[in-house]
Amino acid sequence: MCQISRSLSIVLTTLITASIFCTLPTITLAAQTVNDTRTCLKCHKRNGQLHGVHASTALAIECQDCHGDKGSHPKKGSSINRFGANSPMSVTQQVAVCLSCHDPQTLANTEWTHNVHATRVSCTLCHQLHPEYDPMLSLDSKQHSQLCVTCHQVKH
């Protein structure tokens, strides 16, 4: 009788252990999509599309901080965040990404046009995010005013 109880105990322990492991989340050791800046730079640094302040390692900004998860990029059907006039993201969505780091009040204090345009146009309409240097930052007041005419026509 003791032998049966011992065998039954072993069987029950095995079944209970197996049921616990079967209910745990499956751990997949297969290759997963790597989603970090090093992966992005393999192509984008080489093709010259990533420079400037936003690419500075000193800021510890990762590509996915702005562009979201890599997903299937660069394949078709990519859902990576793109910015600019042809972006599938709304202006509000594009600006929200920028404002996740850039303080709206600081921007308004620096240049009043940030408040006026923040809900109407994407930051990329005026600012270039990945060249060596954003040309907007070097404009004097006259050049800045002339830039306004590219969108706002003067009516007499």
Side-chain angles (χ1 to χ4, degrees):
M1 183 126 171
C2 252
Q3 186 64 24
I4 294 174
S5 294
R6 183 173 163 89
S7 296
L8 185 57
S9 175
I10 292 170
V11 169
L12 287 175
T13 302
T14 304
L15 288 172
I16 290 170
T17 304
S19 68
I20 289 171
F21 282 111
C22 289
T23 59
L24 290 176
T26 305
I27 299 172
T28 306
L29 297 177
Q32 295 181 1
T33 304
V34 177
N35 192 36
D36 66 11
T37 296
R38 290 178 309 228
T39 303
C40 302
L41 292 178
K42 286 178 184 175
C43 295
H44 291 285
K45 192 73 166 184
R46 187 175 61 232
N47 68 17
Q49 294 181 4
L50 185 64
H51 301 286
V53 174
H54 289 91
S56 171
T57 55
L59 293 177
I61 298 173
E62 297 288 334
C63 298
Q64 64 269 16
D65 293 341
C66 300
H67 294 286
D69 286 336
K70 176 183 167 317
S72 63
H73 180 75
K75 298 175 182 159
K76 289 184 180 179
S78 170
S79 61
I80 197 163
N81 295 340
R82 293 186 317 270
F83 297 86
N86 297 323
S87 173
M89 297 168 59
S90 70
V91 167
T92 304
Q93 291 170 318
Q94 291 180 57
V95 171
V97 171
C98 300
L99 294 181
S100 67
C101 292
H102 297 277
D103 177 54
Q105 189 58 50
T106 302
L107 293 174
N109 292 343
T110 304
E111 174 58 51
W112 66 271
T113 57
H114 287 115
N115 280 350
V116 175
H117 294 107
T119 58
R120 293 180 177 88
V121 296
S122 168
C123 303
T124 60
L125 187 66
C126 296
H127 296 278
Q128 295 179 22
L129 307 179
H130 289 304
E132 289 291 336
Y133 187 75
D134 181 2
M136 275 302 283
L137 301 178
S138 63
L139 297 179
D140 63 29
S141 59
K142 183 177 180 182
Q143 292 169 318
H144 194 128
S145 295
Q146 290 171 341
L147 181 64
C148 298
V149 177
T150 60
C151 294
H152 301 281
Q153 300 301 317
V154 178
K155 295 180 182 177
H156 296 284

